[in-house]
């Protein structure tokens, strides 16, 4: 209990608005929230036309909203059949609007068309334990998609045309090209892969060939460090945004892994605190979407000074 109290005090101190600490802030302006009977939503993605896709995992649904956050439709239900889900966690879209879902409880990735109709699936074979896909990232330039297998501690690479396994990256551990419970991931403009490792409390960056590039962050509660990193997004300048579900903040790094800033509220100039932020994304209009899991909402923000 005393250790927990110490960390709470330290977190409050480090991410306060005190000028003594001189923590650089990247301001965001709150636009609106999306709430729609969510039950612990986990991830969000935005299509080319601006529609917002929210993965409502406990409800085993994908819910779709327009650019103003107004409800359009939903699809999915509990089960193991086509278009059904069991504890889905991660989502990505391709440029045609096809939807890729990391359907973790069913040990697969499902691919749906823009209307939510089942198209195909990638069944992920077990390794040491049954597969636990927690996220998927689509790389159309290289005709491949990446899948995180959380419980087996590696990244799987599949061809988009064949949906066959073509490579695996990593193993269990804490060294370079090793992972401990990788969770969410994203790609930058050059095809580099950024993978959040929850237990190693860092982001690991691999190049398109799967070779190690760098680590971002590390365990701690000071700026540039993580306690429970979860979500990741990259803006048009290839700056890296990482949500920390325990600290309740989103930190920003440059593309070589150096700390840049922490998100702040433009209205009061203080560090912006979120309630259990997990999946995040940034669209082509420079809007940031933050899934606040325990608040059952998605916050939509404008990045003001990027």
């Amino acid at each position: 209990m005393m250790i927990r109290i110490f960390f709470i005090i330290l977190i409050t101190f480090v991410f306060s608005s005190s000028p003594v600490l001189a923590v650089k802030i990247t301001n965001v302006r709150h636009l609106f929230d999306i709430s729609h009977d969510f039950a612990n939503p986990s991830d969000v993605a935005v299509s080319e036309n601006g529609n917002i896709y929210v993965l409502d995992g406990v409800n085993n649904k994908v819910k779709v909203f327009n650019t103003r956050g107004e409800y359009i439709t939903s699809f999915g239900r509990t089960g193991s059949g086509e278009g059904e889900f069991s504890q889905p966690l991660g989502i990505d879209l391709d440029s045609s609007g096809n939807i890729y879902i990391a359907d973790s409880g069913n040990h697969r990735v499902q691919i749906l068309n823009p209307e939510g109709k089942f198209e195909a699936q990638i069944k992920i074979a077990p390794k040491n334990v049954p597969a636990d896909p927690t996220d998927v990232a689509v790389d159309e330039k290289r005709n491949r998609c990446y899948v995180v297998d959380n419980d087996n501690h590696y990244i799987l690479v599949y061809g988009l045309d064949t949906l066959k396994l073509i490579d695996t990256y990593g193993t269990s551990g804490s060294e370079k090209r090793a992972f401990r419970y990788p969770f969410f991931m994203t790609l930058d403009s050059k095809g580099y892969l950024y993978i959040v490792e929850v237990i190693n409390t860092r982001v690991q960056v691999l190049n398109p060939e799967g070779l190690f590039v760098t680590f971002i962050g590390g365990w701690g509660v000071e700026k540039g460090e993580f306690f429970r990193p979860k979500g990741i997004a990259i803006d048009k300048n290839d700056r890296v945004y990482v949500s920390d579900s325990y600290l309740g903040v989103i930190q920003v790094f440059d593309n070589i892994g150096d700390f840049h800033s922490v998100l702040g509220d433009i209205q009061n100039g203080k560090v912006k605190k979120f309630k259990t932020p997990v999946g995040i994304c940034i669209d082509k209009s420079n809007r940031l979407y933050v899934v606040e899991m325990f608040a059952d909402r998605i916050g939509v923000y404008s990045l003001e000074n990027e």
Side-chain angles (χ1 to χ4, degrees):
M1 177 64 72
M2 290 301 295
I3 293 175
R4 180 179 175 86
I5 292 172
F6 169 77
F7 276 125
I8 290 173
I9 293 171
L10 186 56
I11 289 165
T12 302
F13 177 72
V14 170
F15 290 106
S16 73
S17 57
S18 170
V20 175
L21 298 174
V23 176
K24 183 180 178 182
I25 286 178
T26 291
N27 283 317
V28 296
R29 185 183 300 277
H30 180 254
L31 300 176
F32 55 86
D33 290 327
I34 301 173
S35 298
H36 197 275
D37 296 323
F38 296 129
N40 298 155
S42 56
D43 203 8
V44 59
V46 180
S47 67
E48 291 290 319
N49 66 0
N51 283 345
I52 304 161
Y53 292 73
V54 178
L55 193 51
D56 192 6
V58 173
N59 287 324
N60 291 305
K61 289 181 178 292
V62 177
K63 295 180 178 178
V64 188
F65 304 84
N66 66 19
T67 58
R68 299 181 297 279
E70 298 164 340
Y71 176 77
I72 298 175
T73 189
S74 66
F75 45 84
R77 62 182 180 182
T78 302
S80 58
E82 295 181 353
E84 298 176 338
F85 305 112
S86 175
Q87 303 171 14
L89 284 167
I91 185 171
D92 199 15
L93 307 175
D94 65 22
S95 60
S96 299
N98 296 308
I99 307 153
Y100 297 71
I101 307 289
D103 188 7
S104 63
N106 286 321
H107 319 296
R108 65 184 178 182
V109 170
Q110 285 199 71
I111 304 170
L112 311 178
N113 71 14
E115 288 72 46
K117 302 298 183 183
F118 177 87
E119 292 287 334
Q121 66 179 348
I122 301 171
K123 290 292 289 183
I124 301 173
K127 187 184 179 186
N128 300 317
V129 296
D132 180 26
T134 55
D135 201 15
V136 56
V138 179
D139 184 351
E140 292 179 90
K141 291 181 180 178
R142 292 167 183 81
N143 195 34
R144 62 176 65 168
C145 73
Y146 301 92
V147 180
V148 173
D149 189 337
N150 179 267
D151 284 353
N152 285 296
H153 313 287
Y154 60 7
I155 310 301
L156 303 164
V157 188
Y158 293 86
L160 279 179
D161 50 354
T162 64
L163 302 183
K164 300 296 185 182
L165 182 67
I166 57 177
D167 207 347
T168 60
Y169 298 161
T171 186
S172 177
S174 58
E175 304 301 317
K176 297 175 180 178
R177 295 191 83 251
F179 306 98
R180 292 179 67 207
Y181 297 100
F183 192 63
F184 281 160
M185 63 183 168
T186 194
L187 294 160
D188 71 10
S189 61
K190 297 179 181 178
Y192 282 60
L193 191 63
Y194 294 69
I195 305 149
V196 176
E197 300 182 67
V198 175
I199 302 302
N200 281 335
T201 57
R202 67 191 183 194
V203 173
Q204 186 165 174
V205 185
L206 305 180
N207 72 9
E209 287 71 47
L211 301 179
F212 174 81
V213 176
T214 192
F215 293 124
I216 298 175
W219 189 88
V221 295
E222 297 186 25
K223 64 180 183 180
E225 298 174 338
F226 307 123
F227 200 86
R228 279 293 180 269
K230 290 291 178 67
I232 187 162
I234 296 179
D235 69 14
K236 61 185 179 182
N237 299 313
D238 275 344
R239 291 199 178 110
V240 183
Y241 296 65
V242 183
S243 67
D244 193 310
S245 63
Y246 188 89
L247 299 182
V249 299
I250 296 176
Q251 297 187 70
V252 187
F253 300 81
D254 64 25
N255 60 4
I256 61 173
D258 291 334
F259 175 80
H260 176 270
S261 59
V262 61
L263 292 192
D265 190 332
I266 196 171
Q267 293 183 329
N268 58 30
K270 295 180 180 180
V271 171
K272 176 70 177 174
K273 298 302 291 289
F274 302 89
K275 187 174 182 180
T276 322
V278 284
I280 58 177
C281 76
I282 299 171
D283 69 13
K284 62 183 181 181
S285 300
N286 219 32
R287 298 206 304 183
L288 170 71
Y289 303 78
V290 181
V291 177
E292 296 182 87
M293 176 177 280
F294 290 165
D296 290 326
R297 69 180 176 228
I298 289 76
V300 183
Y301 302 85
S302 172
L303 294 168
E304 292 297 305
N305 54 0
E306 290 304 295

